[in-house]
Every structure is written in structure tokens, then in C-alpha cells.
């Protein structure tokens, strides 16, 4: 998932199709500061190409990212010179320092393949929190809210590069299987096509809440914004 081809066009497509990283970052910061008004140190887990992280950097005194995909991390480092982007898996990273806020955006937590892995990830987040610190998670769709067979399509052109993105998602058991077809066309270079395939778990709201509590986090679910999937906010007790 998230190979080098997709990493190069990822932000371009999502930005031009209307994703407002700044608005989402501001909503997350506001949610975190309800419980931790003095929050100053943030870690963005599964930071991708740094779309949210660049705005978190304007909202917090110190920010770092963590990313499993090397191509995505490379793009983030190029876009955010001077910001530490750690390589690592959300289930078992060890950074040796604490943060007042840990975020996980864009449904990335859904790549956990089981409730056991979900608990491992949230437990790892909790161990990197300062006392009273806050975890804010933008979940994937719940088992009860996922739209089976959903199709999304966009065509964008920026600086002479045209990108079309068509995705199809289908339920298979307790997971959504999403195929993303991308065509990139450039003058003089022609068109190229690639497919990225994603398997994302469909946990229920209750399963998320149980996993937060198992990690020692007092949890609250805020429905709706910023992504439409709502936010989970967990406070280290």
C-alpha cells in the first residue's frame, strides 16, 4: 500500500477534491485542548505525506510524525524540513519520549487487522502520553455505518498534470476492501495507470471504546466532523 507512485500524487488529489487539512487540524487541536489546554507537544501517527502535520506545526510548539510507508515518509520529510518523521509501526513503536497529544488521522487506525491489534496500537499511544495527555483518533467507518459498494471518482489538473482517481469499496466479512485506480497524465510523458489496494477493518464504535479503555484512556466519541466519521478523544487517567 502507498507505493512511491501514489505518494507523489496523494496530496494533490485529496487537496483538489476538497479535503481541508487545516480545518481538520484545527478541529483536532480544539478537541485535544478541551482536556489539555496547555498541550504543546504533538505526535501524528501514520502522518502520511504530512498533510495534517504541517498545520499541527502552526498550532503546537513541537510536532513529530511517525509513518510506516517509506515513500510517504520521504514526501513528508521533503515538505517539512526540520520536522522529525520517525519510521515505525503504530502497534509497537518506541520513541523514548512523551507527548501531550497523539493523533491518528484519515482512518489509518482501521489498518489494524483485529481487535487485538487495535488494543496494541492504542496501548502504544498511551505509553507515549504525558500524564493527562490526549489521544485523538479519526476512525475508519464503523461496521454499522460503512456503505457497501461505495464508488468515488475525481479528476483534477494542477500545473499541467491531470490525475484521475476512482475507488470502489466492498465489504468482505468485517473489513472493507478498497481498490483505488489512479491514472496520471503529463504532457510529453503520456499516461500511466496503477492500482492501490487497501484492506481496512470495520470495527464497531463499541469495539473502539473498549480498546481505548483497555489502554487506560477515558474515552469520548464526538460524532460528525471533521471527516464525517467523527473523532475519538481519549485522556490518560
Amino acid at each position: 500500500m502507498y507505493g512511491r507512485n501514489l505518494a507523489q500524487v496523494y496530496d494533490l488529489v485529496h487537496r483538489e477534491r476538497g479535503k481541508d487539512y487545516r480545518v481538520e487540524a484545527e478541529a483536532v487541536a480544539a478537541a485535544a485542548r478541551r482536556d489539555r489546554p496547555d498541550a504543546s507537544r504533538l505526535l501524528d501517527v501514520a502522518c502520511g505525506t504530512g498533510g495534517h502535520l504541517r498545520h499541527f506545526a502552526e498550532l503546537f510548539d513541537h510536532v513529530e510524525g511517525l509513518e510506516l510507508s517509506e515513500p510517504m515518509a520521504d514526501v513528508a520529510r521533503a515538505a517539512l524540513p526540520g520536522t522529525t518523521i520517525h519510521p515505525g509501526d503504530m502497534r509497537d513503536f518506541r520513541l523514548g519520549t512523551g507527548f501531550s497529544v497523539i493523533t491518528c488521522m484519515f482512518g489509518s487506525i482501521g489498518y489494524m487487522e483485529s481487535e487485538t491489534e487495535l488494543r496494541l496500537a492504542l496501548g502504544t499511544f498511551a505509553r507515549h502520553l504525558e500524564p493527562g495527555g490526549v489521544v485523538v483518533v479519526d476512525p475508519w467507518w464503523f461496521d454499522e455505518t460503512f456503505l457497501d459498494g461505495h464508488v468515488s471518482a475525481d479528476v483534477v489538473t494542477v500545473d499541467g498534470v491531470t490525475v484521475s482517481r476512482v475507488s470502489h469499496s466492498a465489504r468482505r466479512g468485517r473489513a472493507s476492501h478498497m481498490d483505488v485506480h489512479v491514472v496520471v497524465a503529463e504532457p510529453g510523458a503520456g499516461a500511466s495507470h496503477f492500482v492501490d489496494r487497501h484492506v481496512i477493518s470495520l470495527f464497531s464504535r463499541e469495539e473502539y471504546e473498549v480498546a481505548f479503555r483497555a489502554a487506560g484512556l477515558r474515552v469520548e466519541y464526538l460524532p460528525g466532523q471533521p471527516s464525517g466519521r467523527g473523532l475519538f478523544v481519549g485522556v490518560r487517567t
Side-chain angles (χ1 to χ4, degrees):
M1 90 180 164
Y2 292 134
R4 196 161 300 278
N5 287 338
L6 180 60
Q8 297 301 320
V9 300
Y10 183 86
D11 278 340
L12 182 154
V13 171
H14 287 291
R15 184 178 64 248
E16 294 302 316
R17 68 198 291 254
K19 186 171 182 65
D20 195 325
Y21 288 96
R22 179 167 188 84
V23 166
E24 293 187 10
E26 289 174 345
V28 168
R33 287 192 164 120
R34 292 191 319 160
D35 293 286
R36 187 67 187 267
D38 62 343
S40 61
R41 290 174 52 82
L42 177 141
L43 174 69
D44 188 22
V45 175
C47 68
T49 58
H52 291 103
L53 193 57
R54 63 173 54 91
H55 298 295
F56 286 141
E58 299 171 3
L59 299 167
F60 295 87
D61 293 339
H62 178 85
V63 299
E64 299 179 20
L66 182 130
E67 176 55 48
L68 180 62
S69 164
E70 182 179 348
M72 300 290 269
D74 286 344
V75 174
R77 293 186 185 106
L80 299 166
T83 299
T84 299
I85 309 295
H86 302 276
D89 187 316
M90 70 174 72
R91 294 167 295 188
D92 60 6
F93 64 91
R94 297 174 184 269
L95 302 185
T97 188
F99 299 87
S100 43
V101 179
I102 295 178
T103 58
C104 186
M105 302 296 293
F106 225 154
S108 299
I109 196 77
Y111 287 105
M112 300 300 94
E113 295 181 0
S114 64
E115 289 182 71
T116 298
E117 289 195 356
L118 179 63
R119 294 186 188 198
L120 283 173
L122 290 169
T124 302
F125 295 0
R127 286 192 294 275
H128 285 79
L129 279 182
E130 300 167 352
V134 181
V135 170
V136 184
V137 171
D138 169 18
W140 185 239
W141 297 106
F142 299 148
D143 185 37
E144 56 268 30
T145 60
F146 174 69
L147 297 177
D148 192 13
H150 179 68
V151 172
S152 174
D154 298 275
V155 178
V156 302
T157 300
V158 178
D159 297 332
V161 179
T162 296
V163 181
S164 71
R165 176 189 183 276
V166 178
S167 68
H168 173 262
S169 299
R171 180 193 298 271
R172 298 180 192 169
R174 292 292 307 284
S176 61
H177 288 242
M178 180 169 61
D179 287 349
V180 182
H181 293 256
V182 180
V183 176
V184 181
E186 302 179 63
S192 59
H193 167 258
F194 57 92
V195 181
D196 262 12
R197 293 185 167 89
H198 304 265
V199 180
I200 313 175
S201 295
L202 295 170
F203 299 114
S204 68
R205 173 177 166 178
E206 181 181 6
E207 287 168 336
Y208 279 108
E209 291 172 341
V210 167
F212 269 86
R213 288 192 288 267
L217 301 169
R218 184 181 78 249
V219 62
E220 179 182 8
Y221 175 64
L222 306 178
Q225 297 301 317
S227 65
R229 296 183 296 266
L231 294 172
F232 284 104
V233 181
V235 181
R236 180 180 169 187
T237 56

